[in-house]
Amino acid sequence: MLDSNLSHWLEAEADALDRGLRDAEEVLPQLAAAGVLGLGVDTQYGGAGGDTCSAIDAIATVAGHSLTAAFVLWGQRTFIEYLLHTDNTGLRERLLGTLLDGTQAGATGLSNAMKFLSGIEELGVRAASTEAGWQLDGRLPWVTNLRKRGFVVAAAVELPGAAPFIAAIPDGLGGLTRSADLQLLGLQSSNTAALHIDALQLERDWLLASDARQYLPRVRPAFLGLQCGMTIGLTRRCLQEVEQHLAGSRSVLEAEWRDLRTRLEQCDAELKHGLCAGRFLSEPASLFKLRIALAELAGQAVQLELQASGGKAYLQQHGAGFARRLRESAFVPIVTPSLVQLRGELQRHAGAVA
Ligand SMILES: Cc1cc2nc3c(=O)[nH]c(=O)nc-3n(C[C@H](O)[C@H](O)[C@H](O)COP(=O)(O)OP(=O)(O)OC[C@H]3O[C@@H](n4cnc5c(N)ncnc54)[C@H](O)[C@@H]3O)c2cc1C
């Protein structure tokens, strides 16, 4: 159950958040006030306890109102997950409290790293060793939750002659420049921008993981599982909207609505069961298949909502919620790991076992 103040705020502001008419800076404090940032974080670390599934449920519920807010929550909560998996206890102690209470924004620039892990692209940030740590140069073309009043961003870094590593880079260091907000199809109030890194001096105590190739597969189940929460919430909301129209002439849609609803709840259960059992660490392909299945369900659900609503959905006066969900659903297949990347991974995997 989501705090009622948060659900009312999200329901009222969802369109403005999607179109960039509401200040992006407001999203994180609203999420923090509702106590959702610490879900699935052990109480010994200052969290609310429970497991990752409770965080997935919160992301899904937020996504049912606003995918913009859900993606901000995903970024923040995923950064928290990075800290829970780091061996650098000093960094965890320094950052975790402020991330849990939302006074610090955590941004995850690891799309590039996930693609790197799959052999799709080179790392965009390079390091040269210095006495105190490293000098960094490069670019992160897409990062969300880069609050204008401050953030810390996770990035994968190439270090010639050594393993690539993952660093936390705090805002305010010389050589780090945030672009203006990217102009997007939707999700505009998400503080999404590019980062330019030019001769940035980073000290060693900002290291999240010394070997990206070992660390990333360990955090990937939560990274992807939390991301699936966004798709689950959006799909569930579309199906709730369909349900409102099933009486009368739209009853012909009922069988498809039931089928989508059943498949959605099966995917949700399978995701949580796999996460709790730790299955996705050894069987990442089954998580990739779930992410693809959920993305397909989201596409089908938003189209079913259109059919159920009919021409009304096309009128600005009545169809704002549908139009927003249609734009939001366009994000689902392209966020890393995109469906194209996952299909490529599964093809390689099938080739390897054949
Ligand atoms: C709203 C939003 C928020 C995002 N937030 C994050 C985040 O917080 N962290 C993160 O790591 N990633 C983030 N991403 C990036 C996302 O996860 C994907 O990496 C991105 O959408 C590119 O995926 P792709 O499969 O198209 O990549 P690719 O296969 O790399 O690109 C496909 C084509 O698009 C072009 N292209 C890709 N990006 C750009 C660009 N910025 N400008 C011009 N051309 C481009 C490429 O050159 C290529 O021709 C975000 C994306 C969006 C849309």
Side-chain angles (χ1 to χ4, degrees):
M1 267 290 281
L2 203 61
D3 173 87
S4 64
N5 287 335
L6 178 61
S7 38
H8 286 134
W9 186 79
L10 290 171
E11 199 58 29
E13 302 300 340
D15 282 354
L17 290 171
D18 185 65
R19 293 160 64 206
L21 304 175
R22 187 91 209 182
D23 189 352
E25 304 297 300
E26 292 177 45
V27 179
L28 198 53
Q30 290 284 345
L31 295 170
V36 293
L37 302 179
L39 293 171
V41 179
D42 203 296
T43 49
Q44 67 160 315
Y45 294 125
D51 57 22
T52 315
C53 297
S54 52
I56 292 176
D57 283 338
I59 291 177
T61 313
V62 170
H65 299 287
S66 159
L67 203 72
T68 307
F71 195 47
V72 169
L73 175 54
W74 173 83
Q76 184 82 5
R77 183 59 186 77
T78 301
F79 196 105
I80 289 170
E81 199 68 24
Y82 298 155
L83 288 173
L84 298 178
H85 283 87
T86 185
D87 294 331
N88 186 347
T89 48
L91 184 67
R92 181 163 58 226
E93 279 162 17
R94 231 168 47 236
L95 292 183
L96 195 52
T98 55
L99 280 148
L100 286 170
D101 69 17
T103 51
Q104 171 76 286
T108 158
L110 291 191
S111 281
N112 175 227
M114 293 292 172
K115 290 184 200 171
F116 164 78
L117 200 62
S118 308
I120 295 172
E121 70 182 22
E122 297 297 306
L123 291 179
V125 184
R126 289 164 311 283
S129 295
T130 63
E131 205 168 305
W134 308 274
Q135 171 170 312
L136 306 186
D137 287 276
R139 185 167 182 270
L140 297 169
W142 293 95
V143 191
T144 296
N145 206 21
L146 294 175
R147 280 187 99 193
K148 286 144 198 119
R149 67 183 67 162
F151 58 82
V152 56
V153 59
V157 182
E158 187 187 338
L159 181 62
F165 63 90
I166 310 284
I169 307 174
D171 179 32
L173 292 184
L176 184 65
T177 313
R178 180 202 193 280
S179 73
D181 284 348
L182 302 178
Q183 294 302 304
L184 305 169
L185 174 72
L187 275 71
Q188 188 62 47
S189 293
S190 58
N191 268 324
T192 299
L195 286 175
H196 298 267
I197 302 171
D198 183 18
L200 181 146
Q201 303 299 314
L202 190 73
E203 295 192 359
R204 219 165 266 116
D205 58 359
W206 290 97
L207 185 71
L208 263 170
S210 56
D211 188 341
R213 288 185 204 276
Q214 286 185 3
Y215 176 80
L216 289 174
R218 278 199 285 135
V219 294
R220 188 166 51 190
F223 178 102
L224 258 176
L226 294 165
Q227 203 185 71
C228 287
M230 297 195 294
T231 313
I232 290 168
L234 174 63
T235 309
R236 203 174 269 146
R237 176 63 185 263
C238 291
L239 295 178
Q240 281 163 2
E241 295 294 325
V242 174
E243 191 176 8
Q244 316 280 327
H245 297 279
L246 284 179
S249 66
R250 259 63 184 181
S251 61
V252 67
L253 303 175
E254 185 165 343
E256 191 176 346
W257 169 75
R258 278 192 194 287
D259 175 52
L260 292 183
R261 205 178 53 161
T262 305
R263 281 158 55 203
L264 174 66
E265 297 315 324
Q266 278 168 349
C267 284
D268 182 52
E270 211 180 309
L271 174 68
K272 289 172 177 163
H273 186 260
L275 274 175
C276 288
R279 184 160 67 92
F280 301 136
L281 284 168
S282 55
E283 295 173 36
S286 53
L287 181 55
F288 298 168
K289 285 181 191 159
L290 266 176
R291 152 103 171 95
I292 293 172
L294 280 166
E296 287 171 353
L297 283 174
Q300 289 164 347
V302 77
Q303 288 301 320
L304 195 67
E305 183 185 344
L306 174 59
Q307 290 187 57
S309 176
K312 220 174 159 184
Y314 218 77
L315 289 166
Q316 288 195 6
Q317 184 189 355
H318 298 291
F322 167 75
R324 191 189 71 250
R325 283 185 284 283
L326 184 64
R327 288 191 301 274
E328 290 175 340
S329 70
F331 180 59
V332 171
I334 60 164
V335 62
T336 299
S338 70
L339 294 204
V340 169
Q341 290 154 27
L342 291 172
R343 291 199 164 111
E345 280 283 327
L346 291 176
Q347 205 171 50
R348 271 190 291 280
H349 184 77
V353 293

